[in-house]
Amino acid sequence: MTTRIPQVRNLVTELPGPRSAALAARRTAAVAAGVGSSVPVYAADADGGVIVDIDGNSLIDFGSGIAVTSVGASDPAVAAAVAGQAAHFTHTCFMVTPYESYVAVAERLNALTPGDHEKRTVLFNSGAEAVENAIKIARLATGRDAVVAFDHAYHGRTNLTMGLTAKSMPYKKNFGPFAPELYRMPASYPYRDPAGTDGKQAAADAIDRIEKQIGADSLAAIIIEPIQGEGGFIVPAPGFLPALAEWARINGVVFIADEVQTGFARTGDWFACDDEGVVPDLITMAKGIAGGMPLSAVTGRADLLDAVHPGGLGGTYGGNPVACAAALAALDVMEERQLARRAREIGERIVTRLRRVADETGIIGDLRGRGAMIAAELVHPGTTEPAPEYARAAAAAALAEGVVILTCGTYGNVIRLLPPLVIGDDLLDDGLEVLAAALANAL
Ligand code: PMP
């Protein structure tokens, strides 16, 4: 693979460098304090697995802008598609003067998503907007109100999606009141919940509560991330998702898979649901879909999407033509470069290296994930007690050496790795060595 920027880690200043430090001061005076940033350096360029900051430091990117730039942050085909479309029209509004690329993206998503039933697609801008609309569709199509989400869930920051999201700080606290008729059920978290290791039993427990607390005939939808992202890359025990989906099917409840973080080759398949052959009624997508351009989608059963009256779904920018052009190019790149297969290779390399760290340090209580979506849940050695301070220290130490690492988890104690799927082995290995040392020193 050829890249524009050399694929090496190279620090020419301490981090943050003087230019980033100066920008931080301007930012404090201009940007709302409520917007946080994981790293204190400002980007100038990015390509493959490298981000170059405004001081000339080359950092290894293990976050992909939260699972977005799977094809890289400046893939040439995506960049050409964006420029080509922008030179013709940047916007007409699909609800006013439609254009082909929106239809083409819908066709691609209908074909790629799990299940060979008849499907329809509607496009939006963000993950949260896709989730909101999936709930709207489910409620209208079923004529029911209640929605079930799960412990450790993350579905967004708008009012409805905050209500579906589990974690109070920083996402919900003092931002209420939240939308009504949202219910939370226990998830399958095999590491922390012994009952969660039996997927079928964990699903039966959740279903029992749903039937007692809500009643199937009041329930419009179950929404679940097939691997919980912000909650800590929690992979449910085998059998959990299929049992929930089957119960939903029998009871006329819309089963929504939120694949905003897991979608588009990230987990080694096109979608995380593919792993157990789960076929959702609706699937929400965003992040990796368009090589970094803002685009999201709801794809699913034609009878559900077509139940909505014309004009009931939409938005000024939804399915913007520049974003659609980028998506078509990014999907081609994923196919041509077989990035799903590459995601599996990346995952194996990460797990092999971090398993050694786990054995040597005892601070990795659970190493989990799938494909290039791998997490290390950090604990005090010999216990399962969460160690968020180790996660913070390891991420900071890795950054000081030029590796961008994100944390997550209900307990804030999870190191998560989401490298671009176009990262090369040398760069990946270099980043993993830095992370391994950072973890060893976190103790
Ligand atoms: N659902 C999931 C599973 C997510 O991971 C996210 C973003 N982290 C969202 C929804 C919300 O997406 P956005 O930030 O684009 O609104």
Side-chain angles (χ1 to χ4, degrees), residues 66 126-128 131 154-156 225 230 258 260-261 286-287:
I66 321 187
S126 67
V131 169
Y154 184 92
H155 297 291
E225 303 156 82
E230 303 303 313
D258 182 351
V260 165
Q261 191 153 168
K287 291 191 185 284

Side-chain angles (χ1 to χ4, degrees), residues 154-207:
Y154 184 92
H155 297 291
R157 295 171 179 270
T158 58
N159 186 271
L160 179 62
T161 60
M162 264 194 299
L164 296 169
T165 290
K167 193 172 174 176
S168 173
M169 270 302 278
Y171 307 125
K172 302 173 72 166
K173 197 166 191 292
N174 297 338
F175 290 138
F178 304 114
E181 285 306 311
L182 308 179
Y183 297 84
R184 191 166 310 286
M185 293 295 151
S188 163
Y189 190 164
Y191 177 61
R192 296 219 163 263
D193 168 21
T197 55
D198 179 342
K200 277 196 182 150
Q201 188 55 49
D205 292 346
I207 287 165

Side-chain angles (χ1 to χ4, degrees), residues 37-118:
S37 294
S38 307
V39 299
V41 304
Y42 286 74
D45 208 348
D47 184 27
V50 167
I51 298 173
V52 181
D53 78 5
I54 54 175
D55 290 287
N57 298 297
S58 294
L59 314 178
I60 299 179
D61 180 11
F62 274 0
S64 300
I66 321 187
V68 171
T69 51
S70 298
V71 300
S74 58
D75 175 82
V78 172
V82 165
Q85 179 57 46
H88 287 282
F89 60 94
T90 54
H91 177 82
T92 56
C93 186
F94 193 76
M95 300 184 306
V96 178
T97 315
Y99 37 87
E100 185 189 356
S101 57
Y102 188 120
V103 179
V105 170
E107 289 167 347
R108 290 285 280 273
L109 296 181
N110 293 348
L112 282 177
T113 47
D116 50 17
H117 52 288
E118 196 177 345

Side-chain angles (χ1 to χ4, degrees), residues 47 71 144 160 168 191 229 247 249 277 309 361 378 383 398-399 434:
D47 184 27
V71 300
R144 304 173 182 175
L160 179 62
S168 173
Y191 177 61
W247 179 85
R249 196 186 58 73
H309 47 275
T361 65
L378 305 186
T383 74
L399 178 69
V434 170

